[in-house]
Coordinates of all heavy atoms in Angstrom, one line a residue:
M214 N 4.5 15.7 20.0 CA 5.9 15.7 20.2 C 6.3 17.2 20.4 O 7.1 17.5 21.3 CB 6.7 15.1 19.0 CG 8.2 15.3 19.1 SD 8.9 14.4 20.6 CE 9.0 12.7 19.9
D215 N 5.8 18.1 19.6 CA 6.1 19.5 19.8 C 5.6 20.0 21.1 O 6.3 20.7 21.8 CB 5.5 20.3 18.6 CG 5.9 21.7 18.6 OD1 7.1 22.0 18.9 OD2 5.1 22.6 18.3
I216 N 4.3 19.7 21.4 CA 3.7 20.3 22.6 C 4.3 19.7 23.9 O 4.7 20.4 24.8 CB 2.2 20.0 22.6 CG1 1.5 20.9 21.5 CG2 1.6 20.3 23.9 CD1 0.1 20.5 21.3
L217 N 4.5 18.3 23.9 CA 5.0 17.7 25.1 C 6.5 17.9 25.3 O 7.0 18.0 26.4 CB 4.7 16.2 25.1 CG 3.2 15.8 25.2 CD1 3.0 14.3 25.2 CD2 2.5 16.4 26.4
G218 N 7.2 18.0 24.1 CA 8.6 18.4 24.2 C 8.8 19.8 24.8 O 9.7 20.0 25.5
F219 N 8.0 20.7 24.4 CA 8.0 22.0 25.0 C 7.8 22.0 26.5 O 8.5 22.6 27.3 CB 7.0 23.0 24.3 CG 6.9 24.3 25.0 CD1 7.8 25.3 24.9 CD2 5.8 24.5 25.9 CE1 7.7 26.5 25.5 CE2 5.7 25.7 26.5 CZ 6.6 26.7 26.4
E220 N 6.8 21.2 26.9 CA 6.5 21.0 28.3 C 7.7 20.4 29.1 O 8.0 20.8 30.2 CB 5.3 20.1 28.5 CG 4.8 19.9 30.0 CD 4.3 21.2 30.6 OE1 3.8 22.1 29.9 OE2 4.4 21.3 31.9
A221 N 8.4 19.5 28.4 CA 9.6 18.9 29.0 C 10.7 19.9 29.2 O 11.4 20.0 30.2 CB 10.1 17.7 28.2
D222 N 10.9 20.7 28.1 CA 11.9 21.8 28.2 C 11.6 22.8 29.4 O 12.4 23.2 30.2 CB 12.0 22.6 26.9 CG 12.6 21.8 25.8 OD1 13.3 20.8 26.1 OD2 12.4 22.2 24.6
K223 N 10.3 23.1 29.5 CA 9.9 24.0 30.5 C 10.2 23.5 31.9 O 10.7 24.2 32.8 CB 8.4 24.3 30.4 CG 7.8 25.1 31.5 CD 6.3 25.2 31.4 CE 5.6 25.8 32.7 NZ 4.2 25.8 32.6
R224 N 9.9 22.2 32.1 CA 10.1 21.6 33.4 C 11.6 21.5 33.7 O 12.0 21.7 34.9 CB 9.4 20.2 33.4 CG 7.9 20.3 33.2 CD 7.2 19.0 33.6 NE 7.2 18.9 35.1 CZ 6.3 19.5 35.9 NH1 5.4 20.3 35.3 NH2 6.4 19.4 37.2
A225 N 12.4 21.1 32.7 CA 13.8 21.0 33.0 C 14.4 22.4 33.4 O 15.2 22.5 34.4 CB 14.6 20.5 31.7
I226 N 14.0 23.5 32.7 CA 14.5 24.8 33.1 C 13.9 25.2 34.5 O 14.7 25.8 35.3 CB 14.0 25.8 32.0 CG1 14.8 25.5 30.7 CG2 14.3 27.2 32.4 CD1 14.1 26.2 29.5
T227 N 12.7 25.0 34.7 CA 12.1 25.4 36.0 C 12.7 24.7 37.1 O 13.0 25.2 38.2 CB 10.5 25.2 35.9 OG1 10.0 25.9 34.9 CG2 9.9 25.6 37.2
I228 N 12.9 23.4 37.0 CA 13.6 22.6 38.0 C 15.0 23.1 38.3 O 15.4 23.3 39.5 CB 13.7 21.1 37.6 CG1 12.3 20.4 37.6 CG2 14.6 20.3 38.5 CD1 12.2 19.1 36.9
T229 N 15.7 23.5 37.3 CA 17.0 24.0 37.4 C 17.0 25.3 38.2 O 17.7 25.5 39.2 CB 17.7 24.2 36.1 OG1 17.8 23.0 35.4 CG2 19.1 24.7 36.3
V230 N 16.1 26.2 37.8 CA 16.1 27.5 38.4 C 15.6 27.4 39.9 O 16.2 28.0 40.8 CB 15.1 28.4 37.7 CG1 14.8 29.7 38.5 CG2 15.6 28.8 36.3
N231 N 14.7 26.5 40.2 CA 14.2 26.4 41.5 C 15.1 25.6 42.4 O 15.0 25.7 43.7 CB 12.8 25.6 41.5 CG 11.7 26.5 40.9 OD1 11.8 27.7 40.8 ND2 10.6 25.8 40.6
S232 N 16.0 24.9 41.8 CA 17.0 24.1 42.7 C 18.3 24.8 43.0 O 19.1 24.4 43.8 CB 17.3 22.8 42.0 OG 18.0 22.9 40.8
L233 N 18.5 26.0 42.3 CA 19.7 26.7 42.5 C 19.8 27.2 44.0 O 18.8 27.8 44.5 CB 19.8 28.0 41.6 CG 19.9 27.7 40.1 CD1 19.8 29.0 39.3 CD2 21.2 26.9 39.8
G234 N 20.9 26.9 44.7 CA 21.0 27.4 46.1 C 20.3 26.5 47.1 O 20.2 26.8 48.2
T235 N 19.8 25.3 46.6 CA 19.1 24.4 47.5 C 20.0 23.2 47.8 O 21.1 23.1 47.2 CB 17.8 23.9 47.0 OG1 18.0 23.0 45.9 CG2 16.9 25.1 46.5
E236 N 19.6 22.3 48.6 CA 20.3 21.1 48.9 C 20.2 20.0 47.9 O 20.9 18.9 48.0 CB 19.9 20.5 50.3 CG 18.4 20.1 50.4 CD 18.0 19.8 51.8 OE1 17.7 20.7 52.6 OE2 17.9 18.6 52.1
L237 N 19.4 20.2 46.9 CA 19.2 19.2 45.8 C 20.5 19.1 45.0 O 21.0 20.1 44.5 CB 18.1 19.6 44.9 CG 17.6 18.5 43.9 CD1 16.9 17.4 44.6 CD2 16.7 19.1 42.9

Side-chain angles (χ1 to χ4, degrees):
M214 174 63 80
D215 186 40
I216 291 172
L217 296 182
F219 171 76
E220 183 65 26
D222 288 341
K223 172 187 172 182
R224 300 197 72 80
I226 293 164
T227 303
I228 289 166
T229 302
V230 172
N231 290 343
S232 65
L233 295 174
T235 71
E236 61 188 78
L237 191 70

